[in-house]
Structure formats: C-alpha cells, structure tokens
C-alpha cells in the first residue's frame, strides 16, 4: 500500500462498480471505513441483486411466489452471515487474514454483493426462460423444468466462483500472504456453505414444488435438517441391505476428505512460498 | 500436527542454535513472546488470544496470575453460553445441566491431564514450572472455548431444527474437535517457544487429553438429550456409549419405517 488510495465515492452504484472491478486500493480503503456508510452500498446491492434474482426464480411457480423468494433470497444471505459472523471473525484472526470482526463481516458482505450483482444481472435471462415456459404437454414442461434448474445451478455456481475469487484477492491484499488468504477463504466458505444449506432448508421453498401450494414457508420449516434429509434420501436410494454399510462409507468418505484437505493444504503452502 | 518444531542440529558445539519457530500459520506465525503495552482488560485478553497469543504466553511465562485468571473466567463464560445453547436442544433441566456438565467436564479433564502435560513437556525438553504449564493449558482450553462460543449460533440453528440426538451429538463433537485443533496448534507452537525440542511428547499428550475429554462427555451424560437422572447410573466407555446410541437410532429408524409401511 505504497500510494494513497483513491477517495471513495459515497454513491452506492459507483461503489458497487468499484467492487465489481476489484480495484484493490479502493477496496482496502473501503474496508477501513468504520461507519454504516461503508455497509449501505453492500446491503443495497445484496437486497436488489438477490431480490431481483429471487423474483425471477419464484416467477417460475407463481407471481406471489416471486414476491416471497425476492424477500427470502437476501434474507438467507443476511441470516447466514449473522449466524456465522462470530466464528468467521475468529477464523479470520486465527488464520492470519489480519482483519477485525467488522472487516471480516464487511469482506464477506462484499463477496456476497458481487454474487448478488452477478445473479441480479443474469435475472433477465432467468425471467426470459420463465416467460418461455411451454404449456400443455407434460413432458415438455418437465424438460423445461430440468433446463430451468440446470441454468440456475450454473448461474449460482458461476456467481459463487467469481465472488470467492474476488474475496480471495481481497484477503490476499489485506494479509499479504497467499497461504493465509486461502486458509481463511476455505474456512469462511466451509462455514457459510454448511450453515447456508441448513438455512435454505429452513426457508424453503425457493423454486416451489408445482404440487404444493404457494407459501412463504413450509408448514414445518424447523422440522428436520438439510443433512438428515440428504442422509435419508441417500439411504432410500440404496439397494436393500446396503444401508448397513452407510456408516462405513461415511467414515471412509470423511477420511478421504481429511486426506484431500491435507493435500490441498500442502499444495497451498507450496504455492504460497513461491 | 507440526513436527517441524525440532531445532536444527548445531554445526559446532557453541554457541547453541536458538529454537526454530514452528512453521505454523496464523496464530503461531505471530507467536512472538512480548509483554502487553499496558495492563490488559478482560476484552483485551480475549482479543490477544485470537490475534497476539504471544502476549498471553509471555504473561504465563512470567508467572502472572491475572491473565490466566481472566482466561479461566472467559473459558467459563464461553462454555456456559455454548452449553446453554446445546441444552436448548432438549430444553427443561438441560438448559442449566448441559452448561454445568460441559464446564465441569472441561475442568476435570484439565485437572486430570495437567500432571501428564507437565511431565510430557519436560520429556520434550521444556523447562517450565507447573504454574507456567498450567498457564499454557489454560490458554489452549480458553482458545478452544472461545471458538466453541463462535460455533454456538450454528449449534442453536441446528438444535431448533432436528430431534435426532445422534445428529446433534455428532455436530457438537465435530465443532469441539475443530476448536480443539486450533487450541492444540497454539499449545504446540507455544511449547516450541518454551523450549520443547521434539513435539512428539506433546502430541502424545494431546491424544491423552482428547480421549479424557471424550470420556468425560460420556461419564457426565447426557449432555445432549435427556435422562431420568442428572448423572448416569451405568458406567460406560465412550466408544461403547456411541455405538449403543447409533444402534438405538438405527432401531428407531427401522421401527418408524415399519410403522409407516404398515400405515400404507
């Protein structure tokens, strides 16, 4: 940080564009701002971007669903950050990001704001797909629904990858260490994915099952967890008798994940030294 | 864990090479033993635990009781909050029993393992008094407890969503293990700063502490879930207890599936 960072404009849209371009000096200066003014553009970006995208998704089911999902998408992000705020801040300090709790929260908000900008910018595409939905033949509708889910999966994956790449660069610039940046990013990402999956399960429906009535939440939003649901679905798909081996498979999978994490850590350490 | 704490063999008899800092990231990398700029308050100690643990270790090294005392207080508070949120899974008596058992279990594990840490660290080459070793142990446990506090909101979200004792027990155990890993990292790098030349003995002690903590969770059961008595009537080894719990959950699943099939 040799040169003086450029002055930050207070206009939200301009700041979001600075965020999208990833102008490191300006972003570092932004992270240093300890006022609500620094958070406002990010909150606005997330509410607008995810709101518009949520509305496009919900439109696939019904106009009322569009309103519901437009509210729930930003809510999901804020709840995830709220639940994980404390542990993310601790990991940030312990893993060498050099950020305070407030800066950790702001950096995560920046990442989600980039995500929101991308999905928001692609929401016309999703809305266009909804408007082009075939009616009549059930097989056509089923085919369209598969493409709709696949497109949204691709949109979310792309936005997630770009947002995390930008976050990695930001942490790297702040900490001055590539290894610390990777470790911090992986810890934050793991926590946010773990909690985000559960909260999205609590806040379902998002896409809206055509066979169920339109609703803001299911009648039993706190009945069960995402992971128990995945587990029971996996067991149900296994052939008879194979369920006996499921714990062993999970144990082996955990060991493989641990080994993969160790190898990944070594690779990161290797590259961070060069 | 890190085994790079061994200093390189000196090329000539004198002067002896200073202990090499461990090649650990984050907290360990900033583990420079230096005093606090001014007498720290409670929040200052907690912040230093995360960002500059070397300051706390400096206090432990020089025998001050104020900082370890604050760490013990912080540990108790963190475990109390974490335990309360774990207790909300079952509600009722568990809201106060779970935090009490978690705090008591951790205190018992510390007391049981302190003598072995003292001896094992001496075997590894550390020159420290019992009070200094106790300070190290307190620092490790305090960091573990602080991280558990960070996980507490996540535990609460899941405690409100599931009724499965096995799932909640597994989740709590995973969070406890993640937190302990960070505590152990700090202990090992601190031990290297305190003169330990080989980390193997400390690593062996970590295994002992791990097993003792797991056994405490079984001896004080139930921490997750409910029971008729405050403490268990039957003594069990923790592996046996977990296998029994998983078998019970499987039997329950099978029973509910059969009931469901009969209804259809």
């Amino acid at each position: 940080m040799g040169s003086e960072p450029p002055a930050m404009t207070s206009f939200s849209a301009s700041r979001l564009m600075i965020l999208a371009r990833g102008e490191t000096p300006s972003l570092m200066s932004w992270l240093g701002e300890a006022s609500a003014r620094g958070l406002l553009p990010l909150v606005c970006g997330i509410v607008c971007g995810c709101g518009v995208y949520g509305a496009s998704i919900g439109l696939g089911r019904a106009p009322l669903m569009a309103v519901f999902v437009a509210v729930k998408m930003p809510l999901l992000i804020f709840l995830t950050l709220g639940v994980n705020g404390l542990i993310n801040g601790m990991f940030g300090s312990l893993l060498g990001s050099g950020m305070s709790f407030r800066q950790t929260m702001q950096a995560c908000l920046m990442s989600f704001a980039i995500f929101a900008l991308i999905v928001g910018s692609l929401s016309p595409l999703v809305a266009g797909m909804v408007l082009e939905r075939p009616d009549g033949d059930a097989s056509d509708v089923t085919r369209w629904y598969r493409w709709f889910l696949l497109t949204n999966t691709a949109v979310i994956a792309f936005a997630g990858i770009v947002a995390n790449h930008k976050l990695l660069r930001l942490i790297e610039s702040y900490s001055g260490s590539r290894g610390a940046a990777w470790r911090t990013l992986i810890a934050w990402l793991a926590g946010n994915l773990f909690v985000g999956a559960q909260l999205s399960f609590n806040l379902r429906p998002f896409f809206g099952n055509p066979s169920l009535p339109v609703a803001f939440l299911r009648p039993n939003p706190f009945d069960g967890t995402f992971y128990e649901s995945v587990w029971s679905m996996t067991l149900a798909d296994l052939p008879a008798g194979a369920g006996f081996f499921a714990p062993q498979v999970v144990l082996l999978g955990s060991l493989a994940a641990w080994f993969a994490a160790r190898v990944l850590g070594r690779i990161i350490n290797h590259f961070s030294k060069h | 864990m890190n085994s790079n704490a061994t200093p390189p063999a000196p090329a000539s008899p004198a002067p002896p090479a200073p202990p090499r800092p461990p090649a650990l990231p984050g907290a360990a990398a900033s583990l420079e033993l230096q005093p606090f700029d001014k007498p720290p308050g409670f929040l200052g100690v907690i912040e230093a635990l995360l960002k500059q643990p070397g300051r706390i270790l400096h206090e432990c090294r020089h025998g001050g009781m104020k900082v370890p005392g604050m760490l013990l207080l912080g540990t108790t508070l963190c475990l109390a909050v974490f335990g309360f949120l774990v207790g909300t899974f079952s509600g009722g008596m568990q809201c106060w029993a779970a935090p009490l058992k978690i705090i008591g279990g951790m205190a018992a594990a510390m007391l049981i393992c302190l003598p072995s840490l003292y001896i094992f660290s001496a075997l590894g080459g550390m020159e420290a008094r019992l009070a200094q070793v106790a300070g190290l142990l307190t620092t490790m446990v305090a960091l573990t407890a602080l991280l558990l506090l960070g996980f507490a909101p996540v535990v609460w979200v899941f405690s409100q969503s599931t009724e499965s004792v096995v799932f909640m027990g597994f989740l709590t155990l995973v969070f406890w293990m993640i937190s302990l890993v960070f505590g152990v990292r700090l202990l090992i790098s601190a031990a290297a700063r305190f003169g330990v030349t080989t980390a193997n003995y400390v690593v062996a002690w970590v295994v002992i502490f791990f097993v003792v903590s797991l056994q405490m969770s079984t001896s004080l059961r139930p921490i997750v879930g409910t029971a008729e008595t405050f403490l268990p009537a039957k003594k069990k080894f923790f592996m046996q207890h977990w296998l029994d719990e998983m078998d019970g959950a499987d039997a329950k699943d099978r029973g509910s599936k059969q009931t469901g099939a009969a209804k259809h």
Side-chain angles (χ1 to χ4, degrees):
Chain A
M1 294 306 296
S3 59
E4 188 69 21
M8 290 294 294
T9 168
S10 62
F11 185 54
S12 293
S14 308
R15 282 198 162 198
L16 288 175
M17 284 304 103
I18 288 170
L19 184 65
R21 286 195 294 270
E23 294 173 9
T24 308
S26 302
L27 294 181
M28 302 277 269
S29 152
W30 192 350
L31 264 184
E33 261 182 47
S35 68
R37 213 184 61 165
L39 296 179
L40 191 64
L42 302 173
V43 173
C44 287
I46 291 170
V47 169
C48 295
C50 288
V52 171
Y53 180 65
S56 308
I57 289 179
L59 207 57
R61 174 71 181 86
L64 184 60
M65 193 71 192
V67 177
F68 289 162
V69 185
V71 174
K72 285 198 289 185
M73 281 282 275
L75 189 64
L76 173 64
I77 285 177
F78 293 130
L79 283 176
T80 303
L81 280 180
V83 169
N84 270 346
L86 201 55
I87 194 68
N88 279 347
M90 289 181 185
F91 279 147
S93 295
L94 283 171
L95 297 173
S97 76
M99 292 182 189
S100 65
F101 276 70
R102 183 193 60 76
Q103 286 167 330
T104 297
M105 183 66 90
Q106 197 166 332
C108 288
L109 272 174
M110 282 177 170
S111 168
F112 277 118
I114 294 169
F115 174 87
L117 286 178
I118 295 171
V119 294
S121 69
L122 292 174
S123 55
L125 176 89
V126 177
M129 275 191 86
V130 170
L131 294 174
E132 287 297 312
R133 180 176 57 182
D135 41 20
D137 190 0
S139 66
D140 285 347
V141 174
T142 307
R143 198 175 299 123
W144 170 87
Y145 190 67
R146 280 184 192 151
W147 275 108
F148 186 61
L149 287 182
L150 193 65
T151 306
N152 280 294
T153 306
V155 165
I156 290 170
F158 172 71
I161 288 169
V162 174
N164 280 296
H165 177 65
K166 297 267 184 190
L167 181 61
L168 177 69
R169 281 176 53 188
L170 182 63
I171 308 170
E172 194 180 339
S173 305
Y174 203 88
S175 65
S177 159
R178 193 169 178 76
W182 268 105
R183 281 189 291 272
T184 308
L185 178 76
I186 288 171
W188 289 354
L189 195 58
N192 289 342
L193 283 175
F194 184 74
V195 173
Q198 174 57 29
L199 288 175
S200 64
F201 184 83
N202 293 133
L203 290 175
R204 69 199 192 279
F206 283 89
F207 285 88
N209 189 332
S211 62
L212 294 174
V214 172
F216 187 72
L217 294 174
R218 292 270 168 83
N220 47 356
F222 283 95
D223 189 5
T225 67
F226 171 80
Y227 302 97
E228 288 172 298
S229 174
V230 169
W231 178 252
S232 56
M233 279 194 286
T234 308
L235 285 186
D237 282 345
L238 288 175
F244 175 77
F245 295 103
Q248 288 86 328
V249 171
V250 168
L251 186 65
L252 283 175
S254 306
L255 282 173
W258 175 78
F259 183 71
R262 294 280 306 198
V263 171
L264 186 66
R266 298 224 165 177
I267 292 171
I268 290 168
N269 278 337
H270 175 77
F271 282 107
S272 63
K273 282 177 189 163
H274 293 84
Chain B
M1 291 311 293
N2 177 48
S3 57
N4 296 336
T6 311
S12 57
R20 187 159 56 95
L24 285 174
S30 61
L31 205 60
E32 293 297 332
L33 301 190
Q34 49 183 298
F36 281 97
D37 298 331
K38 54 181 181 179
F42 179 69
L43 289 179
V45 169
I46 298 299
E47 193 182 348
L49 187 61
L50 288 171
K51 294 180 178 173
Q52 295 154 323
R55 290 180 189 269
I56 289 174
L57 294 170
H58 180 273
E59 293 292 319
C60 295
R61 178 107 202 190
H62 290 85
M65 291 306 293
K66 189 183 165 195
V67 169
M70 285 184 188
L71 286 178
L72 278 179
L73 177 67
T75 304
T76 309
L77 289 176
C78 291
L79 292 180
V81 174
F82 179 76
F84 173 74
L85 291 175
V86 169
T88 57
F89 169 72
S90 305
M93 187 184 92
Q94 282 297 85
C95 287
W96 61 265
L100 198 63
K101 286 179 179 183
I102 288 176
I103 294 168
M106 190 64 101
M110 282 173 75
L111 286 174
I112 290 169
C113 294
L114 178 60
S116 52
L117 177 61
Y118 182 55
I119 299 300
F120 277 51
S121 57
L123 289 173
M126 186 159 83
E127 211 173 303
R129 286 179 287 115
L130 184 62
Q132 292 170 331
V133 176
L136 266 185
L137 178 59
T138 308
T139 310
M140 182 195 94
V141 172
L143 182 58
T144 306
L146 190 61
L147 282 167
L148 283 175
L149 178 71
F151 282 119
V154 184
V155 167
W156 180 80
V157 166
F158 281 94
S159 74
Q160 300 306 306
S161 301
T162 184
E163 290 176 4
S164 166
V165 175
V166 172
F167 180 83
M168 270 309 287
F170 178 73
L171 190 70
T172 313
L173 184 70
V174 167
F175 288 159
W176 180 80
M177 282 170 72
I178 293 172
S179 307
L180 190 63
V181 164
F182 281 91
V184 165
R185 269 169 37 126
L186 179 59
L187 178 79
I188 289 177
S189 34
R193 291 281 179 190
F194 277 31
V196 163
T197 51
T198 169
N200 295 341
Y201 294 105
V202 180
V203 171
W205 176 85
V206 167
V207 175
I208 294 170
F209 183 78
F210 184 71
V211 173
V212 169
S213 309
L214 292 178
Q215 184 56 38
M216 289 314 298
S217 71
T218 305
S219 300
L220 297 173
R221 70 189 187 276
I223 293 174
V224 177
T226 53
E228 289 172 1
T229 54
F230 179 73
L231 289 173
K234 194 178 171 189
K235 290 175 185 172
K236 270 186 186 176
F237 185 53
F238 71 91
M239 289 292 286
Q240 183 62 44
H241 170 60
W242 288 355
L243 288 173
D244 289 352
E245 284 293 319
M246 281 193 277
D247 282 350
D250 279 352
K252 199 175 164 185
D253 281 352
R254 279 195 297 272
S256 61
K257 274 179 189 170
Q258 281 168 3
T259 312
K263 277 181 186 171
H264 287 94

